[in-house]
């Protein structure tokens, strides 16, 4: 039965390992999890059930590239699937919503942030949903390598919108992460299907390489087969550009790819790579997730990856066609401090945490509202750590997230006001007259005061938003919304600010320690004298029967020692007073040793956003030094 459906919809005549077991659980009404290696067919675990379940399957995905690639595949199979993202124009957006509400779609892909969108929430309540799929589900766990605080709200959304089942998908989950996912997303451990991580076609190599040798070695590897589809991974955006240019000069058809590029640039490069118009992409970790390109046969890490989990995902993008694939790390410790400094840079200062806790304790209302970007600047905490901080406050029972709404709505008339009003009769017409009377038109755009209409007509916000959405759907107005406001209920106000701030700060320190240990585990793995394939599988709780795979560098050449190849000059040669004067001149009264350390180590903080480029002379000038060493140096100078 299932095999016939698989062939009918996708043209495959048999299931890969683990797929049928997961699909059977879903079709039997259970929630489940599929933990398969990258490229082992996790997507079919939701795509086939989506065609057999009665209603919509909603897929929560962390990256636009994940959605686009999977969507292209589905459409090639005539599967009714769409995605909602910021690249859609108004007509496309409403057409997709219409299809979803009228059961013309089987799969709808969104980001988790979409659930907070007031306009989407109103539309989603009108959809019938059978299954929620959480792609890259390890993002829900603090024990994982890519924790995303927004993922913690997925169980809330599942309950709020009465979605009966959930399916978790990931390629990288240690034992701690599996237990965490099971607890937070209410999937029984018996319903986790784990197929193992070993792939015999991946030839894993670690080469000890001094920094000045790496370009030559990289070029040598790629020139041996220049048309072979290759991804080169680096840590920094500027390194991606530099190495791509170096390869181009040496007649390699290469392009860089990183988060500093515009969306359309990244999309064009990805399409060129998929179509074999570009042979090599030099990328930060922003590239590769969800890319379904079977003939990538070479992955080279020019810089060290961030963790064993990241490394496993990145090499897993090669050899999906089962052919021999070459995965090499050009390893030294020169970039190790850069990796660790990003970890330290995400730990907020204790004073910033205390400032937020104090703000909450002093509020007189049961509800508190935050504009995240403004709060990020006010506290000088980067956006992701700020969201993590709010999650920690939720875990302490101090806050409970409620919903998010747009602060401002504005629209442009496509049909005139009288036309719209005359489409309705009786009380609804009176409501619309009041709505438009509460608006103010400036040249082209009309701005609406929702609070005014609520008071003057004794209505609620949902009715106003629904009316505006309806007009926009019908093409009578062009609607815009701006500035998301996150709303929280304050559960505790009478709190010991210092005690809470210290506890939350220690949670960040514990996370920092865990992330640094993860980097050290990775170095230990690369220096291992035991079989790398066996050790990598063991990290993900798979016990292989053999002792030696025979096709990794440890099996063939033995272990390597990874050392620093460039000696750092003593910090005392840096003109501290020049650096200090530049920094003080720009931060006004916000000087601290911690902020200055982040500045010199190249960690971009909200405090620095107002700096002009010419004032950033020393930004990142000590990025190769260890964060704690730079911080101690500054603190000693401050005495």
């Amino acid at each position: 039965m299932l095999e016939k459906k698989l062939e009918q919809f996708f043209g495959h005549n048999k299931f890969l390992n683990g797929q049928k077991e997961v699909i059977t659980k879903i079709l039997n009404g259970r929630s489940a999890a599929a933990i398969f290696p990258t490229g082992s067919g996790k997507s079919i675990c939701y795509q086939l059930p989506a065609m057999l379940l009665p209603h919509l399957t909603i897929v929560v995905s962390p990256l636009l590239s994940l959605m686009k690639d999977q969507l292209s595949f589905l459409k090639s199979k005539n599967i009714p699937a769409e995605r909602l993202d910021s690249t859609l124009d108004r007509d496309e957006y409403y057409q997709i919503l219409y299809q979803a509400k009228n059961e013309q779609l089987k799969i709808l892909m969104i980001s988790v942030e979409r659930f907070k969108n007031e306009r989407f929430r109103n539309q989603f309540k009108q959809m019938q949903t059978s299954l929620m799929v959480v792609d890259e589900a390890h993002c829900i766990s603090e024990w994982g390598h890519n924790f995303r605080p927004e993922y913690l709200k997925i169980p809330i959304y599942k309950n709020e919108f009465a979605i009966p089942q959930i399916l978790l998908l990931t390629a990288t989950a240690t034992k701690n992460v599996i237990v965490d996912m099971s607890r937070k997303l209410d999937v029984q451990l018996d319903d986790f299907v784990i197929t193992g991580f070993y792939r015999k076609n991946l030839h894993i190599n670690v080469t000890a390489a001094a920094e000045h040798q790496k370009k030559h070695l990289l070029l040598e590897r790629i020139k041996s087969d220049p048309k072979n589809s290759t991804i080169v991974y680096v840590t920094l955006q500027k390194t991606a550009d530099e190495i791509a240019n170096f390869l181009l000069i040496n007649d390699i058809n290469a392009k860089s790819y990183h988060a500093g590029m515009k969306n359309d640039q990244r999309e064009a490069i990805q399409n060129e790579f998929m179509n074999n118009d570009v042979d090599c992409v030099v990328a930060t970790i922003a590239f590769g997730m969800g890319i379904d390109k079977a003939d990538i046969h070479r992955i080279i890490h020019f810089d060290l990856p961030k963790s064993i989990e990241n490394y496993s995902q990145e090499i897993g993008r090669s050899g999906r066609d089962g052919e021999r694939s070459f995965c090499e790390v050009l390893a030294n410790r020169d970039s190790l401090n850069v990796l660790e400094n990003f970890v330290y840079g995400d730990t907020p200062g204790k004073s910033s945490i205390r400032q937020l806790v104090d703000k909450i304790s002093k509020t007189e209302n049961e509800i508190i509202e935050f504009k995240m970007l403004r709060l990020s600047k006010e506290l000088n905490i980067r956006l992701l750590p700020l969201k993590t901080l709010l999650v920690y406050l939720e875990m302490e029972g101090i806050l409970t997230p409620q919903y998010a709404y747009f602060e401002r709505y504005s629209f442009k008339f496509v049909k005139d006001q009288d036309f719209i009003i005359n489409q309705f009769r009786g009380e609804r017409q009176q409501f619309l007259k009041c709505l438009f009377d509460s608006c103010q038109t400036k040249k082209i755009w009309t701005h609406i005061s929702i609070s005014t209409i609520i008071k003057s007509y004794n209505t609620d916000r949902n009715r106003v938003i629904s009316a505006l959405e309806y007009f926009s759907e019908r093409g009578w107005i062009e609607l815009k919304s701006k500035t998301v406001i996150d709303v929280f209920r304050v559960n505790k106000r009478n709190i010991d600010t210092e005690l809470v701030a210290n506890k939350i700060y220690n949670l960040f320190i514990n996370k920092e320690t865990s992330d640094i240990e993860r980097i050290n585990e990775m170095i230990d793995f690369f220096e291992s004298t035991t079989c790398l394939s066996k050790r990598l599988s063991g990290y993900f709780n798979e016990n292989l029967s053999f002792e030696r795979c025979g096709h990794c560098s440890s099996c063939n050449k033995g272990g390597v020692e990874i050392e620093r190849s460039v000696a750092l000059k003593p910090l005392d040669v840096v003109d501290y007073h020049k650096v200090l004067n530049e920094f003080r001149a720009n931060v006004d009264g916000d000087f601290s040793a911690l902020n200055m350390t982040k500045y010199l180590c190249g960690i971009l903080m909200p405090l620095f956003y107002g700096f002009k480029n010419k004032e950033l002379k020393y930004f990142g000038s000590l990025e190769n030094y260890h964060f704690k060493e730079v911080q101690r140096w500054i603190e000693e100078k401050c005495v």
Side-chain angles (χ1 to χ4, degrees), residues 10-29:
F10 299 102
H12 305 313
N13 55 22
K14 65 178 181 178
F15 288 102
L16 299 179
N17 186 24
Q19 289 178 333
K20 188 173 183 179
E21 186 179 354
V22 174
I23 291 166
T24 301
K25 287 177 184 291
I26 294 297
L27 294 178
N28 286 338

Side-chain angles (χ1 to χ4, degrees), residues 364-531:
E364 296 179 357
N365 302 314
E366 290 187 1
I367 294 294
I368 191 167
E369 299 182 346
F370 297 127
K371 297 175 185 176
M372 287 300 178
L373 286 175
R374 180 181 293 180
L375 188 64
S376 171
K377 291 177 183 176
E378 180 185 327
L379 302 175
N380 191 34
I381 301 177
R382 285 147 64 96
L383 206 51
L384 184 60
L386 174 59
K387 291 176 180 177
T388 304
L389 170 54
L390 289 167
V391 168
Y392 286 156
L393 290 169
E394 291 168 35
M395 290 162 59
E396 288 298 306
I398 292 169
L399 294 177
T400 301
Q402 298 297 292
Y403 54 89
Y405 69 90
F406 290 106
E407 182 182 36
R408 287 176 291 169
Y409 278 87
S410 55
F411 60 87
K412 182 168 62 177
F413 282 106
V414 177
K415 298 287 188 179
D416 65 44
Q417 179 176 315
D418 289 340
F419 170 86
I420 297 173
I421 290 173
N422 289 330
Q423 303 305 304
F424 302 90
R425 296 289 179 268
E427 185 275 337
R428 289 197 292 175
Q429 192 176 73
Q430 293 305 311
F431 166 68
L432 293 184
K433 286 178 180 177
C434 183
L435 187 154
F436 288 125
D437 286 344
S438 302
C439 297
Q440 184 179 14
T441 301
K442 296 181 178 178
K443 293 184 179 179
I444 296 173
W445 289 96
T446 296
H447 305 276
I448 182 168
S449 172
I450 293 177
S451 59
T452 300
I453 187 173
I454 288 172
K455 289 176 185 175
S456 61
Y457 198 78
N458 191 26
T459 188
D460 60 34
R461 183 181 179 89
N462 278 342
R463 186 177 186 189
V464 178
I465 303 305
S466 295
L468 294 172
E469 287 287 353
Y470 181 74
F471 302 159
S472 182
E473 233 176 301
R474 298 301 297 267
W476 299 342
I477 64 171
E478 183 179 332
L479 184 63
K480 288 199 308 188
S481 47
K482 287 185 178 179
T483 314
V484 175
I485 295 179
D486 287 271
V487 180
F488 294 82
R489 179 190 294 120
V490 180
N491 303 319
K492 298 177 185 176
R493 283 190 290 276
N494 186 21
I495 52 180
D496 185 328
T497 302
E498 192 66 28
L499 184 68
V500 171
N502 283 335
K503 185 173 183 179
I504 299 294
Y505 179 70
N506 286 331
L507 289 173
F508 274 104
I509 293 299
N510 291 341
K511 186 175 187 305
E512 178 182 278
T513 301
S514 173
D515 288 345
I516 295 297
E517 285 175 356
R518 191 175 280 115
I519 293 172
N520 291 331
E521 281 180 322
M522 179 188 65
I523 295 295
D524 188 49
F525 165 70
F526 287 143
E527 290 187 324
S528 175
T529 56
T530 61
C531 172

